[in-house]
Amino acid sequence: MKVCVVGAGAIGGLVASGLARAGHEVCLVARGAHLDALRANGLTLLSGDKREVFRLRASDDPSALGAQDVVFICLKTHSIAAMLPRTKPLLGRDTTVIPAINGLPWWYFYKEGGAFDGQPVACLDPAGTLFRALEPGRVLGCVVHAAAQVSEPGVVRHTAGREFLIGEPDRSKSARAERLVAVMNAAGFEARQASDIRLEIWIKLVGNLSYNPVAALALAHMNDIHGSESLLALVRAIMEEGMRVAEAYGVRIPMTVDERIAIARKLAGAKISMHQDVEKRRPLEVDAIVGSVVELARKAGIATPMTDAIHALIAERAKHLDR
């Protein structure tokens, strides 16, 4: 299988290394110092005490890589709008595109079946340009439960998890999803075809929605949040609001807030992504993780006062990171 990973950072590097190890023809789209290191030294994967190096084609220009069978989009959400139109040279007649991204995806309402079916999420795709840049029928939904980080240019450290949930936007079982799941399992991942990918999106999102901005604003590790009654109460309130928004769109999360918090406790003292981004003064995924939920809440007439407040604070914090 010919596979291109667009955004060969933490999760992208993990995907690329696994598929390359399994014998697939993998190429990478990257940029800057990371691209220079990939070209000079290959992609290095660190996992526990194991070190592997993969020599893969890498470019900052997708047109240099040719048509692929599968394209993984592993970018931060604020980078997608600029890159997506540039992926056209990667797309053959039957190419499948898997956005392995955080938060609510821009394609959320494609074949969603509700009142907003086919509409863009305005804060993610205000002019509908992402729908025009990539025919949404190519998309397979994806939720990632894995953690990795780029420890230095060209080097990815896998820290936890290998689970990838794959699902069709129209909730159908499909041969292409089944094939991809089989390929990923053969490559050492823990993949399965989700019967409702939006449910999986919301299960992950209510955790990110609540923990990420709190961690970023308080510069708190996960165990700091769980050790603080006031911070945990804030997380709980935001999570409850997120679950109400999901339910307004026909998605009932099959667990209580306390059960979802129990899952988050497994991260122990981790420094989660938005906290890392604040410290490194990188752009924050505010719209995909928080703003999109606020937008959907307004569309459905759901009050989300705590989410609105945390959104205002983290959006302002993000502005100052650019200065």
Side-chain angles (χ1 to χ4, degrees), residues 174-214:
S174 73
R176 66 175 184 168
E178 185 177 357
R179 283 194 301 271
L180 182 66
V181 165
V183 163
M184 296 197 73
N185 284 332
F189 297 104
E190 297 167 9
R192 66 177 172 85
Q193 188 170 175
S195 58
D196 186 350
I197 195 63
R198 289 180 184 81
L199 170 60
E200 305 299 342
I201 288 169
W202 276 105
I203 288 172
K204 184 175 181 180
L205 179 56
V206 294
N208 281 335
L209 168 70
S210 50
Y211 281 99
N212 259 302
V214 170

Side-chain angles (χ1 to χ4, degrees), residues 32-44 53-58 153-154:
H34 192 55
L35 174 60
D36 293 340
L38 292 170
R39 284 172 163 168
N41 306 313
L43 170 64
T44 299
V53 178
F54 301 90
R55 297 283 180 174
L56 306 174
R57 274 199 306 161

Side-chain angles (χ1 to χ4, degrees), residues 59-98:
S59 177
D60 58 0
D61 181 7
S63 67
L65 301 172
Q68 307 290 314
D69 298 312
V70 173
V71 175
F72 281 87
I73 305 291
C74 300
L75 298 166
K76 292 282 191 177
T77 53
H78 43 262
S79 300
I80 291 174
M83 177 54 74
L84 206 59
R86 299 180 59 211
T87 63
K88 287 184 180 179
L90 301 173
L91 306 180
R93 186 184 65 182
D94 299 317
T95 304
T96 298
V97 177
I98 298 97

Side-chain angles (χ1 to χ4, degrees), residues 211 214-216 218-228 231 264 267-272 275-276 279:
Y211 281 99
V214 170
L219 297 181
H221 291 68
M222 291 295 281
N223 55 1
D224 298 325
I225 295 173
H226 293 134
S228 166
L231 291 181
L267 294 176
K271 182 189 293 184
I272 56 176
H275 182 178
Q276 294 180 42
E279 286 195 338

Side-chain angles (χ1 to χ4, degrees), residues 43 60 123 128 179 234 278 284 291 300 323:
L43 170 64
D60 58 0
C123 70
R179 283 194 301 271
L234 178 56
V278 165
L284 306 183
R323 296 176 185 173

